[in-house]
Amino acid sequence: MKAMILAAGVGIRLRPLTNEIPKALVDVGGVPMIERVVRRLQAAGVTELVVNLFHLGDRIVEFLASKQDFGLRIAFTREAELLDTGGGLKNAAWFFDDGRPFFLHNADVLSDIDLTGMLRFHQSAGVLATLAVQSRPSSRQLLFDCDGRLSGRETPEGVEWAKGPASDFERLAFTGIHVIAPAIFPKMTETGAFPITRTYLRLAGEGERIVAYRVDGRYWQDIGSPENLKQARNRAAGPPA
């Protein structure tokens, strides 16, 4: 199975720490964050991995090359400018050539979400993309209808609907963990830098099934701010999960 780790981010809110080290290599409980993500993906059956690079990318390449015990095929894509989540994935489309669903996972996310169960859910549902989501406070929420299908997105700027305002929907926070069918690539008409949620909303409006995988009760924490990093370090003070 294949996966992509999104590791190109600059980590602006973690400066000055990320002036010298990429966010993906920030220490969390004695282990670089990307190592924790790689080992979780490996435990879920991933054998081939692509990582996108921008800020201090050579440091990430060097670190992953030093981890001989991973036993994975690891490839890289380099971005001359940040392409965001959607542009970064589209830039790596060449890697996903086996016709099988794959994981897309943010490098700055610590969780105990059941990735194997999520993959089984995706395969049994026969959908284009499955998004791990939780009922928790967030300034940005995805909106799902009563069948668990993506119908909109809510941000501080307002609500964007896939088709039109829904009368019955639930607000859920996205975790940055996806399972995606490679059939998405011919449908990604967006170009340049763009968020994957833009593609998801457009495709949902065209009738594609982008669905929620509920992970309420599972631990999840990003390390995007000093406060969040402190919480993640307190939780992860031990070996990689």
Side-chain angles (χ1 to χ4, degrees):
M1 184 180 180
K2 297 185 178 184
M4 181 174 188
I5 295 178
L6 295 169
V10 176
I12 293 174
R13 291 182 297 163
L14 289 176
R15 286 175 174 167
L17 176 63
T18 49
N19 288 338
E20 303 295 333
I21 185 171
K23 183 166 62 169
L25 293 186
V26 168
D27 178 285
V28 178
V31 179
M33 190 65 233
I34 197 169
E35 179 175 350
R36 291 186 173 274
V37 174
V38 169
R39 294 194 184 279
R40 281 189 46 76
L41 290 169
Q42 190 173 32
V46 169
T47 58
E48 299 182 68
L49 181 67
V50 63
V51 181
N52 70 333
L53 307 170
F54 176 72
H55 176 60
L56 301 174
D58 287 341
R59 297 280 301 276
I60 297 173
V61 174
E62 292 166 3
F63 172 75
L64 292 175
S66 74
K67 302 300 292 185
Q68 299 298 321
D69 62 319
F70 281 160
L72 300 173
R73 172 200 171 202
I74 303 179
F76 300 94
T77 59
R78 294 182 181 270
E79 299 178 6
E81 61 178 358
L82 279 173
L83 295 176
D84 210 327
T85 52
L89 175 61
K90 186 173 182 178
N91 192 45
W94 56 269
F95 184 77
F96 301 101
D97 58 358
D98 60 0
R100 300 175 61 190
F102 60 89
F103 286 107
L104 181 62
H105 199 301
N106 287 0
D108 63 351
V109 165
L110 181 71
S111 84
D112 64 3
I113 291 168
D114 179 8
L115 299 182
T116 303
M118 183 177 179
L119 175 61
R120 285 197 302 265
F121 174 89
H122 174 88
Q123 291 171 323
S124 65
V127 297
L128 189 65
T130 300
L131 315 183
V133 292
Q134 296 176 314
S135 178
R136 58 175 167 81
S138 174
S139 62
R140 299 176 182 275
Q141 302 269 356
L142 295 180
L143 312 179
F144 294 87
D145 66 19
C146 58
D147 295 319
R149 296 177 65 156
L150 181 66
S151 58
R153 173 178 57 179
E154 185 176 59
T155 69
E157 291 73 41
V159 176
E160 180 182 0
W161 296 102
K163 288 185 178 179
S167 58
D168 185 15
F169 63 89
E170 187 169 12
R171 294 175 174 86
L172 296 169
F174 186 36
T175 64
I177 303 172
H178 332 221
V179 179
I180 306 172
I184 196 171
F185 291 115
K187 305 176 189 293
M188 295 180 79
T189 57
E190 294 79 6
T191 59
F194 61 93
I196 188 66
T197 49
R198 181 185 303 169
T199 301
Y200 285 157
L201 283 173
R202 177 180 58 78
L203 292 176
E206 295 171 3
E208 296 287 351
R209 296 180 65 201
I210 316 293
V211 302
Y213 177 69
R214 298 292 295 264
V215 292
D216 300 327
R218 289 285 188 169
Y219 175 76
W220 177 91
Q221 181 67 64
D222 72 73
I223 65 163
S225 69
E227 297 78 13
N228 291 357
L229 176 58
K230 180 179 180 180
Q231 292 179 28
R233 283 173 165 171
N234 290 340
R235 168 81 181 203

